[in-house]
Amino acid sequence: MAVPQFGDPEPGRTYADRPAAFGICERDGRIALVRVEKPGHAPWLDLPGGALDPGEGPEQAVVREYGEETGLVVAALEPYGRADQVFVNTDGAAYNNRAVFFTLRLDGEDASLKVEDDHTLTWVTPQAAIESLRHDAHAWAVAAWLRLRARAQAASSAP
């Protein structure tokens, strides 16, 4: 299956491939997002996650990024999708996030993990996430997760 590509690349701009990992963590029917506030930019919502550090696998990256951005302790259960997203960050660097998306298990909270002061944890319904996430790849990932969850629920309730 082809990996979907999202975003509108600017003509003449080069987008560096950037391996990344994001995840969906559910609690009480809501999923974790981060509200990001950078000086000089309107706030936006993202799935927690981000770029892989050198030598790091996607599972390790999503667990680390969740801690840094939210203070949540999570475990990566399984990857369920891949999608790419071109974007220009607030520093003007152009990337093509080549993302793996994971279903996550919430294992607790540890405020000492959170180091990104411009990220604030917020819990929203999956529908609200689809409507408000900055990146189309993230909205696609939430919709794909909902579909997988609905299929699993239907299979578990079948006679």
Side-chain angles (χ1 to χ4, degrees):
M1 176 184 197
V3 174
Q5 175 71 61
F6 295 94
D8 297 314
E10 297 173 20
R13 186 181 279 258
T14 300
Y15 293 80
D17 280 346
R18 183 171 95 154
F22 299 90
I24 295 187
C25 179
E26 180 185 17
R27 182 180 76 186
D28 301 326
R30 297 179 180 270
I31 62 173
L33 299 184
V34 286
R35 178 182 167 93
V36 183
E37 297 185 53
K38 302 267 187 179
H41 299 276
W44 66 85
L45 294 173
D46 279 340
L47 284 173
L52 278 62
D53 284 346
E56 187 176 51
E59 295 88 353
Q60 293 131 340
V62 73
V63 168
R64 175 185 52 77
E65 288 279 352
Y66 248 81
E68 292 174 356
E69 294 179 357
T70 69
L72 296 177
V73 178
V74 298
L77 299 180
E78 60 188 52
Y80 70 87
R82 294 180 177 272
D84 298 345
Q85 174 81 47
V86 294
F87 74 103
V88 177
N89 73 9
T90 56
D91 295 328
Y95 294 106
N96 186 24
N97 265 353
R98 302 186 55 93
V100 178
F101 294 91
F102 288 89
T103 301
L104 303 173
R105 181 185 69 232
L106 178 59
D107 287 341
E109 296 182 35
D110 181 350
S112 71
L113 296 174
K114 187 169 182 324
V115 295
E116 296 193 27
D117 294 334
D118 54 5
H119 288 57
T120 304
L121 173 63
T122 182
W123 295 92
V124 302
T125 65
Q127 183 63 38
I130 290 169
E131 294 169 4
S132 59
L133 282 161
R134 169 178 63 151
H135 291 307
D136 289 337
H138 290 195
W140 171 89
V142 173
W145 174 80
L146 280 171
R147 186 174 172 120
L148 287 172
R149 188 177 71 161
R151 286 180 175 170
Q153 289 171 346
S156 69
S157 66

